[in-house]
């Protein structure tokens, strides 16, 4: 009984290579615009919104080992500046190349598993399944590598004021008067005291003008 692929050819990032054939040297070019999958980017930082248009330009090449897929993905990524927290947009262009290997099969088209020294490498290898391949995991890796890990709205973004949180780019002259922390607590205490107690702290008698002659 022939093996069946668990890949669904109706999914937008699953591609069929039957038209390409298995003759080495054959090539097929494809363009496709699909809706971006969920969580497509660096979570909580920047990424392509779910459902946003994702443009794909692909070149499929038949080689002895399988199908070599080379392509470029383009989309509009969104996130926020890590310095001032303002929303930003990023024109994403991610290049990628991946080999999808033919599975070794017997005359009944069943996959033959032959463990060897490269068994661990074989686990990381991507295979064609009944002539189909899923591009989504390859695209996810390519998109993450193409996105900035620390996105900024502009290279010289000054960020936020550490004292009040104001956006410094909106007010280049923004500043706070420096206060000697040794006197700040006393000043705060004095502001809450009645006038009589303030006079006692200053050494003057309540209601007596220091300039009054004896």
């Amino acid at each position: 009984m022939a093996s069946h692929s668990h890949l669904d050819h109706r999914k937008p990032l699953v591609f069929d290579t039957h038209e390409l054939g298995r003759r080495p040297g054959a090539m097929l070019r494809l363009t496709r615009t699909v809706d971006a999958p969920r969580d497509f980017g660096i979570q909580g930082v920047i990424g392509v919104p779910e459902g946003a248009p994702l443009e794909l330009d692909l070149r499929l090449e038949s080689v002895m080992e399988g199908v070599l897929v080379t392509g470029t993905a383009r989309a509009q990524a969104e996130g926020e500046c890590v310095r001032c927290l303002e929303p930003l947009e990023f024109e994403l262009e991610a290049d990628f190349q991946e080999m999808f290997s033919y599975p070794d099969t017997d005359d009944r088209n069943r996959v033959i598993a032959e463990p060897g020294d490269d068994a661990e490498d074989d686990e990381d290898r991507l295979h064609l399944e009944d002539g189909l391949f899923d591009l989504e995991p390859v695209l996810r890796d390519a998109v993450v590598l193409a996105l900035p890990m620390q996105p900024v709205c502009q290279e010289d973004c000054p960020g936020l004021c550490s004292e009040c949180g104001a956006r410094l780019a909106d007010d280049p002259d923004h500043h706070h008067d420096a206060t000697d922390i040794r006197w700040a607590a006393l000043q705060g205490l004095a502001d809450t005291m009645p006038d009589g107690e303030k006079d006692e702290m200053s050494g003057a008698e309540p209601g007596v003008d220091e300039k009054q002659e004896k």
Side-chain angles (χ1 to χ4, degrees), residues 20 79 99 108 185 191:
L20 178 67
M99 169 70 75
R108 295 185 179 182
D191 291 341

Side-chain angles (χ1 to χ4, degrees), residues 15-23 25-32 60-62 67 102 128 130-133:
F15 292 81
D16 192 334
T17 67
H18 286 99
E19 183 180 347
L20 178 67
R22 295 188 62 161
R23 181 175 60 84
M27 185 177 68
L28 181 65
R29 291 186 179 275
L30 299 173
T31 58
R32 184 180 294 185
L60 280 55
E61 297 177 80
S62 180
V67 175
Y102 295 127
L128 292 167
D130 193 22
L132 303 176
F133 67 86

Side-chain angles (χ1 to χ4, degrees), residues 175-187:
H175 71 282
H176 294 270
D177 293 331
T179 302
D180 191 327
I181 60 174
R182 295 173 297 178
W183 295 105
L186 291 176
Q187 181 62 46

Side-chain angles (χ1 to χ4, degrees), residues 67-108:
V67 175
L68 180 65
V69 179
T70 305
T72 301
R74 298 180 181 86
Q76 188 88 0
E78 297 179 0
E80 66 178 26
C81 176
V82 295
R83 297 179 187 169
C84 68
L85 307 182
E86 284 292 302
L88 58 81
E89 294 183 345
F90 177 81
E91 292 290 340
L92 169 71
E93 183 169 310
D95 297 323
F96 55 89
Q97 186 174 71
E98 188 66 48
M99 169 70 75
F100 290 87
S101 302
Y102 295 127
D104 294 325
T105 59
D106 59 15
D107 56 357
R108 295 185 179 182

Side-chain angles (χ1 to χ4, degrees), residues 1-6 22 101-115 122 125-132:
M1 183 177 179
S3 62
H4 295 283
S5 170
H6 72 274
R22 295 188 62 161
S101 302
Y102 295 127
D104 294 325
T105 59
D106 59 15
D107 56 357
R108 295 185 179 182
N109 200 33
R110 294 178 300 191
V111 176
I112 301 173
E114 296 184 357
D122 193 64
R125 188 179 304 169
L126 298 177
H127 290 87
L128 292 167
E129 298 181 19
D130 193 22
L132 303 176

